[in-house]
Coordinates of all heavy atoms in Angstrom, one line a residue:
V955 N 0.4 15.1 -7.2 CA 1.1 13.8 -6.7 C 1.5 13.1 -8.0 O 0.7 12.6 -8.8 CB 0.1 12.9 -5.9 CG1 0.8 11.7 -5.5 CG2 -0.5 13.7 -4.7
A956 N 2.8 13.0 -8.1 CA 3.4 12.3 -9.3 C 3.7 10.8 -8.8 O 4.1 10.6 -7.7 CB 4.8 12.9 -9.7
G957 N 3.3 9.9 -9.7 CA 3.4 8.5 -9.4 C 2.2 8.1 -8.5 O 2.3 7.4 -7.5
A958 N 1.0 8.6 -8.9 CA -0.2 8.4 -8.0 C -1.0 7.2 -8.3 O -2.1 7.0 -7.7 CB -1.1 9.7 -8.1
S959 N -0.6 6.3 -9.2 CA -1.5 5.3 -9.7 C -1.5 4.1 -8.7 O -2.4 3.2 -8.8 CB -1.0 4.7 -11.1 OG 0.3 4.3 -11.0
S960 N -0.6 4.0 -7.7 CA -0.7 2.9 -6.8 C 0.2 3.2 -5.6 O 0.9 4.3 -5.5 CB -0.1 1.6 -7.4 OG 1.2 1.7 -7.8
G961 N 0.2 2.4 -4.6 CA 1.1 2.4 -3.5 C 1.1 3.7 -2.7 O 0.0 4.3 -2.4
I962 N 2.3 4.2 -2.4 CA 2.4 5.5 -1.6 C 1.8 6.6 -2.3 O 1.1 7.5 -1.7 CB 3.9 5.7 -1.4 CG1 4.5 4.7 -0.4 CG2 4.1 7.1 -0.8 CD1 6.0 4.8 -0.3
G963 N 1.9 6.7 -3.6 CA 1.3 7.9 -4.4 C -0.2 7.9 -4.3 O -0.8 9.0 -4.0
A964 N -0.8 6.7 -4.4 CA -2.3 6.7 -4.3 C -2.8 7.0 -2.9 O -3.7 7.8 -2.8 CB -2.8 5.3 -4.8
E965 N -2.1 6.5 -1.9 CA -2.5 6.8 -0.5 C -2.3 8.2 -0.2 O -3.0 8.8 0.6 CB -1.7 5.8 0.4 CG -2.2 4.4 0.4 CD -3.6 4.2 0.7 OE1 -4.2 5.0 1.6 OE2 -4.3 3.2 0.2
T966 N -1.2 8.8 -0.7 CA -0.9 10.2 -0.5 C -2.0 11.1 -1.1 O -2.5 12.1 -0.5 CB 0.4 10.6 -1.1 OG1 1.5 9.8 -0.4 CG2 0.7 12.1 -0.9
A967 N -2.5 10.7 -2.3 CA -3.5 11.5 -2.9 C -4.8 11.4 -2.1 O -5.5 12.4 -1.9 CB -3.8 11.0 -4.3
R968 N -5.1 10.3 -1.6 CA -6.3 10.1 -0.7 C -6.2 10.9 0.6 O -7.1 11.6 1.0 CB -6.5 8.6 -0.4 CG -6.9 7.7 -1.5 CD -7.3 6.4 -1.1 NE -7.6 5.5 -2.2 CZ -6.8 4.6 -2.7 NH1 -5.6 4.5 -2.1 NH2 -7.1 3.8 -3.7
A969 N -5.0 10.9 1.2 CA -4.8 11.6 2.4 C -4.9 13.1 2.2 O -5.5 13.8 3.0 CB -3.4 11.2 3.0
L970 N -4.2 13.6 1.2 CA -4.3 15.0 0.9 C -5.7 15.5 0.6 O -6.1 16.5 1.1 CB -3.3 15.4 -0.2 CG -1.8 15.3 0.1 CD1 -1.0 15.5 -1.2 CD2 -1.4 16.3 1.2
A971 N -6.4 14.7 -0.2 CA -7.8 15.1 -0.5 C -8.7 15.1 0.7 O -9.5 16.0 0.9 CB -8.3 14.1 -1.6
A972 N -8.5 14.1 1.6 CA -9.2 14.1 2.8 C -8.9 15.3 3.7 O -9.8 15.7 4.5 CB -9.0 12.8 3.6
A973 N -7.7 15.8 3.6 CA -7.3 17.0 4.4 C -7.7 18.3 3.8 O -7.4 19.3 4.3 CB -5.8 16.9 4.6
G974 N -8.4 18.2 2.6 CA -8.9 19.4 2.0 C -8.1 19.9 0.8 O -8.4 21.0 0.3
F975 N -7.1 19.2 0.4 CA -6.3 19.7 -0.8 C -6.9 19.2 -2.1 O -7.1 18.0 -2.2 CB -4.9 19.1 -0.7 CG -4.0 19.6 0.4 CD1 -4.1 19.1 1.7 CD2 -3.0 20.6 0.2 CE1 -3.3 19.5 2.8 CE2 -2.2 21.0 1.3 CZ -2.4 20.5 2.5
P976 N -7.2 20.1 -3.0 CA -7.5 19.6 -4.4 C -6.3 18.9 -4.9 O -5.2 19.4 -4.8 CB -7.9 20.9 -5.1 CG -8.2 21.9 -4.1 CD -7.3 21.5 -2.9
V977 N -6.4 17.7 -5.5 CA -5.3 17.0 -5.9 C -5.3 16.7 -7.4 O -6.3 16.4 -8.0 CB -5.2 15.6 -5.2 CG1 -4.8 15.8 -3.7 CG2 -6.4 14.8 -5.3
A978 N -4.1 16.9 -8.0 CA -3.8 16.5 -9.4 C -3.1 15.2 -9.4 O -2.0 15.1 -8.8 CB -3.1 17.6 -10.1
L979 N -3.6 14.2 -10.1 CA -3.0 12.9 -10.1 C -2.3 12.7 -11.4 O -2.8 12.8 -12.5 CB -4.1 11.8 -9.9 CG -5.1 12.1 -8.8 CD1 -6.1 11.0 -8.8 CD2 -4.4 12.2 -7.5
G980 N -1.0 12.3 -11.3 CA -0.2 12.1 -12.5 C 0.5 10.7 -12.5 O 1.1 10.3 -11.4
A981 N 0.5 10.0 -13.6 CA 1.2 8.7 -13.7 C 0.9 8.3 -15.2 O 0.2 8.9 -15.9 CB 0.7 7.7 -12.8
R982 N 1.6 7.2 -15.6 CA 1.4 6.7 -16.9 C 0.1 5.8 -17.0 O -0.5 5.8 -18.1 CB 2.6 5.8 -17.3 CG 3.9 6.6 -17.5 CD 5.1 5.8 -17.9 NE 5.4 4.9 -16.8 CZ 6.3 3.9 -16.9 NH1 6.9 3.7 -18.0 NH2 6.5 3.1 -15.8
R983 N -0.3 5.2 -15.9 CA -1.5 4.3 -15.9 C -2.7 5.2 -15.6 O -3.2 5.2 -14.5 CB -1.3 3.2 -15.0 CG -0.2 2.2 -15.3 CD -0.1 1.1 -14.3 NE 0.3 1.5 -13.0 CZ 0.5 0.7 -11.9 NH1 0.2 -0.6 -12.1 NH2 0.9 1.2 -10.8
V984 N -3.2 5.8 -16.7 CA -4.3 6.8 -16.5 C -5.6 6.1 -16.0 O -6.4 6.7 -15.2 CB -4.6 7.5 -17.8 CG1 -5.8 8.5 -17.6 CG2 -3.3 8.3 -18.2
D985 N -5.8 4.8 -16.4 CA -7.0 4.1 -16.0 C -7.0 3.9 -14.4 O -8.1 4.1 -13.8 CB -7.1 2.7 -16.6 CG -5.9 1.9 -16.4 OD1 -4.8 2.4 -16.3 OD2 -6.0 0.6 -16.4
R986 N -5.9 3.7 -13.9 CA -5.8 3.6 -12.4 C -6.0 4.9 -11.7 O -6.6 5.0 -10.7 CB -4.4 3.1 -12.0 CG -4.1 1.7 -12.6 CD -4.8 0.6 -11.8 NE -4.4 0.5 -10.4 CZ -3.4 -0.3 -10.0 NH1 -2.7 -1.0 -10.9 NH2 -3.1 -0.4 -8.7
L987 N -5.5 6.0 -12.4 CA -5.8 7.3 -11.8 C -7.2 7.7 -11.8 O -7.7 8.3 -10.9 CB -5.0 8.4 -12.7 CG -3.5 8.3 -12.7 CD1 -2.9 9.4 -13.6 CD2 -2.9 8.4 -11.3
E988 N -7.9 7.3 -12.9 CA -9.4 7.6 -13.0 C -10.1 6.9 -11.9 O -11.1 7.5 -11.3 CB -9.9 7.3 -14.4 CG -9.4 8.1 -15.5 CD -9.9 9.5 -15.6 OE1 -10.7 9.9 -14.6 OE2 -9.6 10.3 -16.5
E989 N -9.8 5.7 -11.7 CA -10.4 4.9 -10.6 C -10.2 5.6 -9.2 O -11.1 5.7 -8.4 CB -9.9 3.5 -10.6 CG -10.5 2.6 -9.6 CD -9.9 1.2 -9.6 OE1 -9.2 0.9 -10.6 OE2 -10.2 0.4 -8.7

Side-chain angles (χ1 to χ4, degrees):
V955 181
S959 58
S960 65
I962 292 172
E965 289 299 329
T966 298
R968 292 188 183 99
L970 289 174
F975 294 80
V977 291
L979 314 178
R982 291 178 296 173
R983 296 182 292 179
V984 179
D985 57 329
R986 298 287 294 272
L987 297 179
E988 293 288 3
E989 182 180 350

